[in-house]
Amino acid sequence: QVQLVESGGGLVQPGGSLRLSCAASGSIFSIRAMGWHRQAPGKERELVASITSGGTTNYADSVKGRFTISRDNAKNTVFLRMNSLKPEDTAVYYCNVDVYTTVAVRGTYWGQGTQVTVSS
């Protein structure tokens, strides 16, 4: 099994910044990709950003130019730097990891979620 521990959420004013982190541990043979999704009240869950083991990144159009995803492969950790935050960024943010737990077994695991609230 794989465990994900998220941190960095909180309350921030519009225009402010936050940095989320997510550390993966457990039965990890290799990591294919890590990423962040979010779900706002009354909204569908959406992909925010992802990064592959090779460093290829993908962003939702709504956060391009404001958010940056990065990773520390040695620590199995992914980060999300969020700048110029807007009220519409308010959501629960969930970390996820796409891994091989053995050479032949693949799975996807999710963190518990961390609340980000953008309000004046």
PDB file of all heavy atoms in Angstrom, residues 19-22 34-36 49-52 55 57 59 67-73 76-81:
ATOM      1  N   ARG A  19       1.992  27.304  -0.788  1.00  0.00           N
ATOM      2  CA  ARG A  19       2.757  26.185  -1.335  1.00  0.00           C
ATOM      3  C   ARG A  19       2.275  24.896  -0.690  1.00  0.00           C
ATOM      4  O   ARG A  19       2.396  24.719   0.522  1.00  0.00           O
ATOM      5  CB  ARG A  19       4.249  26.364  -1.082  1.00  0.00           C
ATOM      6  CG  ARG A  19       5.128  25.301  -1.751  1.00  0.00           C
ATOM      7  CD  ARG A  19       6.538  25.375  -1.228  1.00  0.00           C
ATOM      8  NE  ARG A  19       7.474  24.547  -1.965  1.00  0.00           N
ATOM      9  CZ  ARG A  19       8.481  23.871  -1.406  1.00  0.00           C
ATOM     10  NH1 ARG A  19       8.671  23.938  -0.098  1.00  0.00           N
ATOM     11  NH2 ARG A  19       9.297  23.152  -2.154  1.00  0.00           N
ATOM     12  N   LEU A  20       1.732  24.000  -1.502  1.00  0.00           N
ATOM     13  CA  LEU A  20       1.292  22.702  -1.037  1.00  0.00           C
ATOM     14  C   LEU A  20       2.390  21.674  -1.248  1.00  0.00           C
ATOM     15  O   LEU A  20       3.158  21.752  -2.212  1.00  0.00           O
ATOM     16  CB  LEU A  20       0.039  22.246  -1.784  1.00  0.00           C
ATOM     17  CG  LEU A  20      -1.155  23.203  -1.810  1.00  0.00           C
ATOM     18  CD1 LEU A  20      -2.327  22.555  -2.540  1.00  0.00           C
ATOM     19  CD2 LEU A  20      -1.554  23.618  -0.405  1.00  0.00           C
ATOM     20  N   SER A  21       2.456  20.689  -0.370  1.00  0.00           N
ATOM     21  CA  SER A  21       3.397  19.597  -0.530  1.00  0.00           C
ATOM     22  C   SER A  21       2.695  18.276  -0.280  1.00  0.00           C
ATOM     23  O   SER A  21       1.698  18.201   0.433  1.00  0.00           O
ATOM     24  CB  SER A  21       4.598  19.746   0.409  1.00  0.00           C
ATOM     25  OG  SER A  21       4.197  19.665   1.762  1.00  0.00           O
ATOM     26  N   CYS A  22       3.231  17.211  -0.864  1.00  0.00           N
ATOM     27  CA  CYS A  22       2.656  15.876  -0.736  1.00  0.00           C
ATOM     28  C   CYS A  22       3.782  14.864  -0.814  1.00  0.00           C
ATOM     29  O   CYS A  22       4.478  14.787  -1.835  1.00  0.00           O
ATOM     30  CB  CYS A  22       1.629  15.632  -1.842  1.00  0.00           C
ATOM     31  SG  CYS A  22       0.965  13.950  -1.879  1.00  0.00           S
ATOM     32  N   MET A  34       2.812  12.180 -10.599  1.00  0.00           N
ATOM     33  CA  MET A  34       2.141  12.720  -9.429  1.00  0.00           C
ATOM     34  C   MET A  34       1.394  13.972  -9.848  1.00  0.00           C
ATOM     35  O   MET A  34       1.772  14.629 -10.821  1.00  0.00           O
ATOM     36  CB  MET A  34       3.134  13.053  -8.311  1.00  0.00           C
ATOM     37  CG  MET A  34       3.934  11.863  -7.814  1.00  0.00           C
ATOM     38  SD  MET A  34       5.001  12.248  -6.392  1.00  0.00           S
ATOM     39  CE  MET A  34       3.767  12.317  -5.073  1.00  0.00           C
ATOM     40  N   GLY A  35       0.324  14.299  -9.113  1.00  0.00           N
ATOM     41  CA  GLY A  35      -0.437  15.466  -9.490  1.00  0.00           C
ATOM     42  C   GLY A  35      -1.366  15.956  -8.403  1.00  0.00           C
ATOM     43  O   GLY A  35      -1.400  15.418  -7.291  1.00  0.00           O
ATOM     44  N   TRP A  36      -2.099  17.006  -8.750  1.00  0.00           N
ATOM     45  CA  TRP A  36      -3.060  17.630  -7.852  1.00  0.00           C
ATOM     46  C   TRP A  36      -4.399  17.800  -8.557  1.00  0.00           C
ATOM     47  O   TRP A  36      -4.451  18.240  -9.716  1.00  0.00           O
ATOM     48  CB  TRP A  36      -2.575  19.009  -7.391  1.00  0.00           C
ATOM     49  CG  TRP A  36      -1.333  18.977  -6.566  1.00  0.00           C
ATOM     50  CD1 TRP A  36      -0.044  19.044  -7.002  1.00  0.00           C
ATOM     51  CD2 TRP A  36      -1.261  18.875  -5.141  1.00  0.00           C
ATOM     52  NE1 TRP A  36       0.830  18.986  -5.942  1.00  0.00           N
ATOM     53  CE2 TRP A  36       0.104  18.879  -4.790  1.00  0.00           C
ATOM     54  CE3 TRP A  36      -2.222  18.775  -4.134  1.00  0.00           C
ATOM     55  CZ2 TRP A  36       0.534  18.796  -3.456  1.00  0.00           C
ATOM     56  CZ3 TRP A  36      -1.795  18.690  -2.817  1.00  0.00           C
ATOM     57  CH2 TRP A  36      -0.432  18.699  -2.495  1.00  0.00           C
ATOM     58  N   ALA A  49      -2.913  20.158 -11.905  1.00  0.00           N
ATOM     59  CA  ALA A  49      -1.585  20.037 -12.496  1.00  0.00           C
ATOM     60  C   ALA A  49      -1.059  18.636 -12.274  1.00  0.00           C
ATOM     61  O   ALA A  49      -1.436  17.961 -11.312  1.00  0.00           O
ATOM     62  CB  ALA A  49      -0.616  21.063 -11.892  1.00  0.00           C
ATOM     63  N   SER A  50      -0.179  18.185 -13.149  1.00  0.00           N
ATOM     64  CA  SER A  50       0.456  16.885 -13.008  1.00  0.00           C
ATOM     65  C   SER A  50       1.875  16.961 -13.529  1.00  0.00           C
ATOM     66  O   SER A  50       2.222  17.843 -14.323  1.00  0.00           O
ATOM     67  CB  SER A  50      -0.326  15.795 -13.744  1.00  0.00           C
ATOM     68  OG  SER A  50      -0.333  16.026 -15.144  1.00  0.00           O
ATOM     69  N   ILE A  51       2.691  16.009 -13.082  1.00  0.00           N
ATOM     70  CA  ILE A  51       4.078  15.938 -13.533  1.00  0.00           C
ATOM     71  C   ILE A  51       4.481  14.470 -13.605  1.00  0.00           C
ATOM     72  O   ILE A  51       4.219  13.695 -12.691  1.00  0.00           O
ATOM     73  CB  ILE A  51       5.016  16.749 -12.609  1.00  0.00           C
ATOM     74  CG1 ILE A  51       6.440  16.765 -13.163  1.00  0.00           C
ATOM     75  CG2 ILE A  51       4.973  16.229 -11.178  1.00  0.00           C
ATOM     76  CD1 ILE A  51       7.333  17.801 -12.484  1.00  0.00           C
ATOM     77  N   THR A  52       5.105  14.078 -14.704  1.00  0.00           N
ATOM     78  CA  THR A  52       5.552  12.704 -14.873  1.00  0.00           C
ATOM     79  C   THR A  52       6.925  12.514 -14.252  1.00  0.00           C
ATOM     80  O   THR A  52       7.608  13.475 -13.886  1.00  0.00           O
ATOM     81  CB  THR A  52       5.609  12.317 -16.352  1.00  0.00           C
ATOM     82  OG1 THR A  52       6.683  13.021 -16.990  1.00  0.00           O
ATOM     83  CG2 THR A  52       4.304  12.629 -17.059  1.00  0.00           C
ATOM     84  N   GLY A  55       9.475  14.533 -15.900  1.00  0.00           N
ATOM     85  CA  GLY A  55       9.430  15.975 -15.770  1.00  0.00           C
ATOM     86  C   GLY A  55       8.436  16.683 -16.661  1.00  0.00           C
ATOM     87  O   GLY A  55       8.369  17.925 -16.641  1.00  0.00           O
ATOM     88  N   THR A  57       5.075  18.348 -17.590  1.00  0.00           N
ATOM     89  CA  THR A  57       4.024  18.950 -16.782  1.00  0.00           C
ATOM     90  C   THR A  57       2.775  19.231 -17.603  1.00  0.00           C
ATOM     91  O   THR A  57       2.829  19.409 -18.823  1.00  0.00           O
ATOM     92  CB  THR A  57       4.493  20.257 -16.137  1.00  0.00           C
ATOM     93  OG1 THR A  57       4.908  21.175 -17.157  1.00  0.00           O
ATOM     94  CG2 THR A  57       5.658  19.996 -15.188  1.00  0.00           C
ATOM     95  N   TYR A  59      -1.096  21.526 -17.006  1.00  0.00           N
ATOM     96  CA  TYR A  59      -1.846  22.435 -16.155  1.00  0.00           C
ATOM     97  C   TYR A  59      -3.234  22.676 -16.706  1.00  0.00           C
ATOM     98  O   TYR A  59      -3.435  22.728 -17.924  1.00  0.00           O
ATOM     99  CB  TYR A  59      -1.150  23.795 -16.041  1.00  0.00           C
ATOM    100  CG  TYR A  59       0.198  23.773 -15.372  1.00  0.00           C
ATOM    101  CD1 TYR A  59       1.367  23.634 -16.114  1.00  0.00           C
ATOM    102  CD2 TYR A  59       0.311  23.902 -13.990  1.00  0.00           C
ATOM    103  CE1 TYR A  59       2.605  23.616 -15.505  1.00  0.00           C
ATOM    104  CE2 TYR A  59       1.546  23.888 -13.366  1.00  0.00           C
ATOM    105  CZ  TYR A  59       2.691  23.744 -14.135  1.00  0.00           C
ATOM    106  OH  TYR A  59       3.924  23.735 -13.518  1.00  0.00           O
ATOM    107  N   PHE A  67       0.239  28.891 -11.246  1.00  0.00           N
ATOM    108  CA  PHE A  67       0.635  27.735 -10.441  1.00  0.00           C
ATOM    109  C   PHE A  67       1.837  27.050 -11.072  1.00  0.00           C
ATOM    110  O   PHE A  67       1.983  27.021 -12.304  1.00  0.00           O
ATOM    111  CB  PHE A  67      -0.499  26.710 -10.347  1.00  0.00           C
ATOM    112  CG  PHE A  67      -1.688  27.139  -9.531  1.00  0.00           C
ATOM    113  CD1 PHE A  67      -1.860  28.449  -9.113  1.00  0.00           C
ATOM    114  CD2 PHE A  67      -2.655  26.198  -9.186  1.00  0.00           C
ATOM    115  CE1 PHE A  67      -2.961  28.832  -8.370  1.00  0.00           C
ATOM    116  CE2 PHE A  67      -3.765  26.570  -8.439  1.00  0.00           C
ATOM    117  CZ  PHE A  67      -3.919  27.886  -8.031  1.00  0.00           C
ATOM    118  N   THR A  68       2.693  26.460 -10.241  1.00  0.00           N
ATOM    119  CA  THR A  68       3.839  25.700 -10.708  1.00  0.00           C
ATOM    120  C   THR A  68       3.937  24.392  -9.940  1.00  0.00           C
ATOM    121  O   THR A  68       3.962  24.399  -8.708  1.00  0.00           O
ATOM    122  CB  THR A  68       5.145  26.488 -10.536  1.00  0.00           C
ATOM    123  OG1 THR A  68       5.065  27.736 -11.232  1.00  0.00           O
ATOM    124  CG2 THR A  68       6.323  25.687 -11.088  1.00  0.00           C
ATOM    125  N   ILE A  69       3.994  23.277 -10.664  1.00  0.00           N
ATOM    126  CA  ILE A  69       4.160  21.974 -10.038  1.00  0.00           C
ATOM    127  C   ILE A  69       5.619  21.548 -10.180  1.00  0.00           C
ATOM    128  O   ILE A  69       6.253  21.784 -11.210  1.00  0.00           O
ATOM    129  CB  ILE A  69       3.211  20.925 -10.647  1.00  0.00           C
ATOM    130  CG1 ILE A  69       3.233  19.624  -9.831  1.00  0.00           C
ATOM    131  CG2 ILE A  69       3.526  20.657 -12.110  1.00  0.00           C
ATOM    132  CD1 ILE A  69       2.126  18.641 -10.202  1.00  0.00           C
ATOM    133  N   SER A  70       6.153  20.930  -9.142  1.00  0.00           N
ATOM    134  CA  SER A  70       7.522  20.441  -9.160  1.00  0.00           C
ATOM    135  C   SER A  70       7.610  19.198  -8.289  1.00  0.00           C
ATOM    136  O   SER A  70       6.664  18.872  -7.570  1.00  0.00           O
ATOM    137  CB  SER A  70       8.506  21.511  -8.680  1.00  0.00           C
ATOM    138  OG  SER A  70       8.222  21.898  -7.351  1.00  0.00           O
ATOM    139  N   ARG A  71       8.735  18.510  -8.368  1.00  0.00           N
ATOM    140  CA  ARG A  71       8.876  17.309  -7.551  1.00  0.00           C
ATOM    141  C   ARG A  71      10.316  17.116  -7.109  1.00  0.00           C
ATOM    142  O   ARG A  71      11.263  17.638  -7.710  1.00  0.00           O
ATOM    143  CB  ARG A  71       8.362  16.065  -8.296  1.00  0.00           C
ATOM    144  CG  ARG A  71       9.371  15.340  -9.184  1.00  0.00           C
ATOM    145  CD  ARG A  71       9.610  16.054 -10.477  1.00  0.00           C
ATOM    146  NE  ARG A  71      10.349  15.225 -11.419  1.00  0.00           N
ATOM    147  CZ  ARG A  71      11.152  15.685 -12.362  1.00  0.00           C
ATOM    148  NH1 ARG A  71      11.316  17.005 -12.516  1.00  0.00           N
ATOM    149  NH2 ARG A  71      11.792  14.851 -13.176  1.00  0.00           N
ATOM    150  N   ASP A  72      10.470  16.362  -6.022  1.00  0.00           N
ATOM    151  CA  ASP A  72      11.763  15.922  -5.522  1.00  0.00           C
ATOM    152  C   ASP A  72      11.740  14.405  -5.607  1.00  0.00           C
ATOM    153  O   ASP A  72      11.167  13.737  -4.744  1.00  0.00           O
ATOM    154  CB  ASP A  72      11.985  16.398  -4.091  1.00  0.00           C
ATOM    155  CG  ASP A  72      13.359  16.043  -3.554  1.00  0.00           C
ATOM    156  OD1 ASP A  72      13.984  15.096  -4.054  1.00  0.00           O
ATOM    157  OD2 ASP A  72      13.813  16.720  -2.618  1.00  0.00           O
ATOM    158  N   ASN A  73      12.324  13.857  -6.648  1.00  0.00           N
ATOM    159  CA  ASN A  73      12.254  12.419  -6.881  1.00  0.00           C
ATOM    160  C   ASN A  73      12.907  11.613  -5.754  1.00  0.00           C
ATOM    161  O   ASN A  73      12.444  10.525  -5.417  1.00  0.00           O
ATOM    162  CB  ASN A  73      12.915  12.062  -8.211  1.00  0.00           C
ATOM    163  CG  ASN A  73      12.110  12.522  -9.405  1.00  0.00           C
ATOM    164  OD1 ASN A  73      10.903  12.747  -9.313  1.00  0.00           O
ATOM    165  ND2 ASN A  73      12.770  12.655 -10.548  1.00  0.00           N
ATOM    166  N   ASN A  76      10.286  11.341  -3.069  1.00  0.00           N
ATOM    167  CA  ASN A  76       8.932  10.988  -3.511  1.00  0.00           C
ATOM    168  C   ASN A  76       7.917  12.057  -3.117  1.00  0.00           C
ATOM    169  O   ASN A  76       6.833  11.759  -2.610  1.00  0.00           O
ATOM    170  CB  ASN A  76       8.519   9.626  -2.942  1.00  0.00           C
ATOM    171  CG  ASN A  76       9.283   8.476  -3.558  1.00  0.00           C
ATOM    172  OD1 ASN A  76       9.772   8.562  -4.684  1.00  0.00           O
ATOM    173  ND2 ASN A  76       9.392   7.376  -2.825  1.00  0.00           N
ATOM    174  N   THR A  77       8.274  13.301  -3.355  1.00  0.00           N
ATOM    175  CA  THR A  77       7.461  14.430  -2.938  1.00  0.00           C
ATOM    176  C   THR A  77       7.125  15.328  -4.125  1.00  0.00           C
ATOM    177  O   THR A  77       7.974  15.579  -4.977  1.00  0.00           O
ATOM    178  CB  THR A  77       8.187  15.248  -1.860  1.00  0.00           C
ATOM    179  OG1 THR A  77       8.446  14.416  -0.724  1.00  0.00           O
ATOM    180  CG2 THR A  77       7.351  16.435  -1.415  1.00  0.00           C
ATOM    181  N   VAL A  78       5.885  15.817  -4.157  1.00  0.00           N
ATOM    182  CA  VAL A  78       5.445  16.750  -5.183  1.00  0.00           C
ATOM    183  C   VAL A  78       4.980  18.034  -4.506  1.00  0.00           C
ATOM    184  O   VAL A  78       4.429  18.003  -3.396  1.00  0.00           O
ATOM    185  CB  VAL A  78       4.327  16.135  -6.053  1.00  0.00           C
ATOM    186  CG1 VAL A  78       3.068  15.874  -5.238  1.00  0.00           C
ATOM    187  CG2 VAL A  78       4.016  17.033  -7.249  1.00  0.00           C
ATOM    188  N   PHE A  79       5.210  19.174  -5.169  1.00  0.00           N
ATOM    189  CA  PHE A  79       4.857  20.478  -4.638  1.00  0.00           C
ATOM    190  C   PHE A  79       3.950  21.212  -5.623  1.00  0.00           C
ATOM    191  O   PHE A  79       4.000  20.984  -6.828  1.00  0.00           O
ATOM    192  CB  PHE A  79       6.103  21.328  -4.399  1.00  0.00           C
ATOM    193  CG  PHE A  79       7.131  20.674  -3.527  1.00  0.00           C
ATOM    194  CD1 PHE A  79       8.174  19.946  -4.086  1.00  0.00           C
ATOM    195  CD2 PHE A  79       7.067  20.780  -2.152  1.00  0.00           C
ATOM    196  CE1 PHE A  79       9.129  19.337  -3.295  1.00  0.00           C
ATOM    197  CE2 PHE A  79       8.015  20.183  -1.341  1.00  0.00           C
ATOM    198  CZ  PHE A  79       9.045  19.462  -1.906  1.00  0.00           C
ATOM    199  N   LEU A  80       3.137  22.113  -5.094  1.00  0.00           N
ATOM    200  CA  LEU A  80       2.334  23.002  -5.917  1.00  0.00           C
ATOM    201  C   LEU A  80       2.453  24.408  -5.357  1.00  0.00           C
ATOM    202  O   LEU A  80       1.918  24.702  -4.290  1.00  0.00           O
ATOM    203  CB  LEU A  80       0.866  22.565  -5.950  1.00  0.00           C
ATOM    204  CG  LEU A  80      -0.029  23.358  -6.908  1.00  0.00           C
ATOM    205  CD1 LEU A  80       0.360  23.074  -8.361  1.00  0.00           C
ATOM    206  CD2 LEU A  80      -1.500  23.030  -6.681  1.00  0.00           C
ATOM    207  N   ARG A  81       3.179  25.273  -6.079  1.00  0.00           N
ATOM    208  CA  ARG A  81       3.280  26.681  -5.715  1.00  0.00           C
ATOM    209  C   ARG A  81       2.131  27.423  -6.385  1.00  0.00           C
ATOM    210  O   ARG A  81       2.004  27.393  -7.611  1.00  0.00           O
ATOM    211  CB  ARG A  81       4.618  27.257  -6.153  1.00  0.00           C
ATOM    212  CG  ARG A  81       4.729  28.779  -6.113  1.00  0.00           C
ATOM    213  CD  ARG A  81       4.499  29.331  -4.711  1.00  0.00           C
ATOM    214  NE  ARG A  81       5.579  28.989  -3.808  1.00  0.00           N
ATOM    215  CZ  ARG A  81       5.628  29.327  -2.527  1.00  0.00           C
ATOM    216  NH1 ARG A  81       4.617  30.005  -1.985  1.00  0.00           N
ATOM    217  NH2 ARG A  81       6.658  28.977  -1.776  1.00  0.00           N
TER     218      ARG A  81
END
